[in-house]
Amino acid sequence: MRIPYTGPLPPPIIVPRNANTPTGAISALTRFLSAPPSPLLAASPSSNGRTVLLTGAGISVASGLADYRGTAGTYTLNKTYRPIYYNEFTSNHEARKRYWARSFLGWTNLHKAQPNAAHWAVRKLGERGYIGDVITQNVDSFHPLAHPDLPTLELHGYLRSLVCIHCRNHLPRKEFQQSLSRLNPAWAAFLAEMLETGALDSEHPDERRAKGLKSNPDGDVDVPDAPYTTFRYPACPACLANPPRLADGSQSNVQLDADGAWSPQSTAGVLKPAVVMFGESIASSVKLAAEQAIDQASRMLVIGSSLATYSAWRLVKRAKERNMPIGVLNLGGVRGEESFYADTPADNDGSLGVRCSESVDRILPSVVQNLDMLASAPAMAETSETQDNSAY
């Protein structure tokens, strides 16, 4: 289940000690990714000898998206922020109005945002054989966009489509956004005005707050005192065409208002984003796939995540229990990180574990460059030796 951890996070533990600078962090991460499997690693018949990558919101900050707990994160700057929970969304029509109104305003910027240098670095690490699988907590779809050939598991789903909670039919978000515009002309005009004035263009939360806006990581924008109760949303077209049977066997009904919006007299046809909301359970098949990705790897690298949700933290716990070296590249503290490095040798140079607190988009591309230089060094040495021998 996706449940946020609300307790205080510890200050970051830097491992090894010289990883406290960008140069030191790059060197330690280079050793971590290029090291052979640990001799203490639990045996696995499916092991691929590669690193499994777990990413969080911090990797997408450079793309203009907010994170949760960074220096400019939602929880850091907005102490009253509370995400919507699954049972609230599924049972409360007014809560859905508020959610879809905020999502309607935030979708435009999320839709036009692009993967950043860190995502492209992940692609290169996959192409060069260092990373075997990616597990991401993010719902922005940047990983599959940046590296479609590198296996990626979207642990918490994705915002690019919706799913009906009654018939499980999927609907592209772009199509849904167009329906929201049609049903809410005043809101559409407000969004057009914000886009025209550049109110949504700034990536800095202070500038958005000055304009009366609050941006959040899951692609929504809060406008304080906005008339959310006036917002309307469409019904699932599949349920509308063929109302499904309910869990008790009775026939559902889907009704629309005069303009074609979902009516609260309906008993089906409710669409939700294809994400795992807070308080919602992750599908068993997804949990199993994540565990398999852990079990077949030789080490784990966490990037841009404080592991504040149990669904992510338990994966690192599983990796640690298999004696896998753990690497963490994240600005600020990480839940339970002291336990990841409690038994790391004092003379560790990063090969058996690394923890650094640096900006992902600045560090990861340099790590790729370092690894490329390491890989080319033997080839250059062999070429030089061949040239020397040919002289005789």
Side-chain angles (χ1 to χ4, degrees):
M1 183 174 290
R2 188 182 180 190
I3 300 175
Y5 174 76
T6 57
L9 293 172
I13 300 171
I14 303 303
V15 178
R17 290 183 179 179
N18 62 358
N20 61 345
T21 66
T23 300
I26 292 165
S27 296
L29 285 165
T30 300
R31 296 188 189 99
F32 180 82
L33 287 168
S34 59
S38 168
L40 302 177
L41 183 66
S44 174
S46 60
S47 178
N48 60 22
R50 300 179 181 179
T51 297
V52 59
L53 185 65
L54 174 64
T55 69
I59 197 173
S60 295
V61 169
S63 295
L65 305 187
D67 63 357
Y68 286 101
R69 295 175 181 271
T71 54
T74 294
Y75 285 135
T76 304
L77 298 178
N78 183 4
K79 302 299 184 182
T80 62
Y81 173 71
R82 177 187 174 278
I84 191 169
Y85 276 69
Y86 177 72
N87 63 341
E88 181 183 6
F89 181 92
T90 57
S91 63
N92 191 316
H93 178 47
E94 291 301 318
R96 289 196 294 272
K97 287 183 182 180
R98 181 174 182 271
Y99 176 88
W100 285 127
R102 291 159 53 123
S103 178
F104 173 70
L105 298 177
W107 170 251
T108 300
N109 263 28
L110 177 63
H111 183 55
K112 71 180 183 182
Q114 294 294 319
N116 62 59
H119 296 99
W120 299 118
V122 170
R123 173 178 179 145
K124 293 177 181 177
L125 290 171
E127 291 172 343
R128 287 151 176 76
Y130 294 104
I131 292 177
D133 291 275
V134 175
I135 303 170
T136 184
Q137 301 167 252
N138 299 340
V139 296
D140 51 37
S141 299
F142 289 161
H143 279 293
L145 280 172
H147 46 78
D149 296 328
L150 179 60
T152 300
L153 181 68
E154 294 169 293
L155 189 66
H156 294 154
Y158 41 83
L159 286 170
R160 60 181 178 268
S161 70
L162 296 90
V163 61
C164 176
I165 66 174
H166 297 100
C167 74
R168 310 310 297 176
N169 178 63
H170 280 250
L171 184 74
R173 176 55 199 254
K174 184 177 180 180
E175 181 179 332
F176 185 74
Q177 186 78 0
Q178 292 170 346
S179 296
L180 292 178
S181 293
R182 178 179 57 81
L183 291 171
N184 301 279
W187 283 86
F190 177 57
L191 174 58
E193 180 183 350
M194 286 200 297
L195 293 173
E196 184 177 351
T197 59
L200 294 176
D201 290 344
S202 173
E203 298 175 6
H204 198 284
D206 288 339
E207 295 178 12
R208 287 198 177 184
R209 284 200 305 279
K211 297 174 181 178
L213 307 174
K214 294 180 181 179
S215 301
N216 298 311
D218 284 347
D220 71 327
V221 172
D222 184 17
V223 182
D225 302 321
Y228 292 124
T229 190
T230 66
F231 201 82
R232 295 177 297 172
Y233 54 89
C236 167
C239 283
L240 188 61
N242 186 22
R245 293 274 178 186
L246 300 176
D248 61 4
S250 62
Q251 182 66 54
S252 67
N253 74 90
V254 181
Q255 298 184 32
L256 305 179
D257 67 14
D259 295 317
W262 186 88
S263 167
Q265 279 71 49
S266 303
T267 58
V270 174
L271 292 161
K272 69 175 283 288
V275 301
V276 179
M277 290 181 154
F278 286 102
E280 183 178 3
S281 295
I282 296 173
S284 298
S285 59
V286 174
K287 289 193 287 187
L288 179 60
E291 291 168 358
Q292 289 175 338
I294 300 298
D295 293 347
Q296 69 185 14
S298 65
R299 57 190 58 235
M300 185 174 200
L301 178 60
V302 179
I303 291 182
S305 175
S306 62
L307 302 179
T309 58
Y310 180 75
S311 55
W313 182 82
R314 74 177 189 89
L315 295 177
V316 185
K317 178 176 178 288
R318 184 184 185 93
K320 184 62 180 177
E321 289 171 347
R322 295 192 64 247
N323 295 320
M324 292 170 59
I326 306 296
V328 177
L329 171 58
N330 182 68
L331 276 171
V334 169
R335 178 185 182 182
E337 65 177 274
E338 65 280 355
S339 65
F340 304 157
Y341 306 103
D343 56 357
T344 303
D347 60 351
N348 165 53
D349 62 358
S351 303
L352 297 178
V354 60
R355 172 64 172 104
C356 41
S357 183
E358 302 287 345
S359 296
V360 179
D361 60 300
R362 297 177 183 175
I363 298 299
L364 209 57
S366 296
V367 172
V368 174
Q369 292 178 355
N370 263 18
L371 289 167
D372 285 348
M373 287 189 291
L374 278 178
S376 64
M380 292 176 63
E382 183 178 347
T383 299
S384 177
E385 183 178 349
T386 300
Q387 290 173 344
D388 290 343
N389 290 337
S390 66
Y392 291 97

